[in-house]
Amino acid sequence: MRIAIASDHAAIDLKAALAEWLRDAGHDVADLGPDSSASVDYPDYGYKLAAAIADGSAERGIALCGSGIGISIAVNRNPAARCALVSEPLSATLAREHNDANVIAMGARLIGIEMAKACITAFLGTEFGGDRHQRRVDKLTAPQV
């Protein structure tokens, strides 16, 4: 699978470890940065990740920052991206099954490497449930207020 991964400076070590793990598992991983622990702004990397989803260069995305909150907000600014903040495998599974999430966000200061891997495994291994969930997902792209 083509996966894009991006972070801010707070999640640089987690990002590097996850990118290596995903490559070892046979995935095509695009590391969208940053490349050092120098302070950066998470919206820049969230927007970059969302653009990779929108243009089709990535099928799925993994967004990381200190809490996962800020970068998830940035990713969700792009209507092609559906990013869910997850903290354990069940939320990652439901994000895919019910919401057709194409990006997950996690907080490097809140989640350990093994739990992050478990979340990614659940996320990548779950299909969208469709059916009654489809009309709800459609409303996320085209709000009817």
Side-chain angles (χ1 to χ4, degrees):
M1 186 174 291
R2 291 183 329 273
I3 301 169
I5 189 167
S7 73
D8 70 355
H9 56 278
I12 190 88
D13 293 335
L14 181 60
K15 177 179 64 80
L18 293 174
E20 179 180 355
W21 174 72
L22 287 163
R23 286 186 187 106
D24 289 348
H27 296 287
D28 178 9
V29 179
D31 184 338
L32 304 180
D35 298 325
S36 78
S37 60
S39 183
V40 296
D41 297 330
Y42 60 80
D44 298 336
Y45 293 91
Y47 298 152
K48 197 184 247 192
L49 179 54
I53 294 293
D55 71 18
S57 59
E59 299 166 83
R60 297 282 185 273
I62 300 167
L64 307 165
C65 69
S67 68
I69 297 167
I71 201 164
S72 69
I73 293 169
V75 171
N76 280 319
R77 295 292 209 178
N78 187 316
R82 287 177 304 281
C83 180
L85 176 61
V86 303
S87 58
E88 34 56 47
L90 179 58
S91 59
T93 297
L94 293 173
R96 281 289 306 132
E97 186 179 333
H98 291 191
N99 308 112
D100 199 17
N102 48 19
V103 180
I104 56 171
M106 295 178 283
R109 294 181 177 139
L110 306 174
I111 194 166
I113 184 72
E114 294 308 317
M115 185 58 75
K117 288 178 181 178
C119 290
I120 293 168
T121 298
F123 174 66
L124 297 179
T126 303
E127 295 296 322
F128 175 50
D131 194 35
R132 72 183 191 277
H133 303 294
Q134 185 62 60
R135 78 173 183 275
R136 297 167 184 152
V137 170
D138 290 344
K139 290 180 179 182
L140 294 174
T141 303
Q144 301 168 0
V145 289

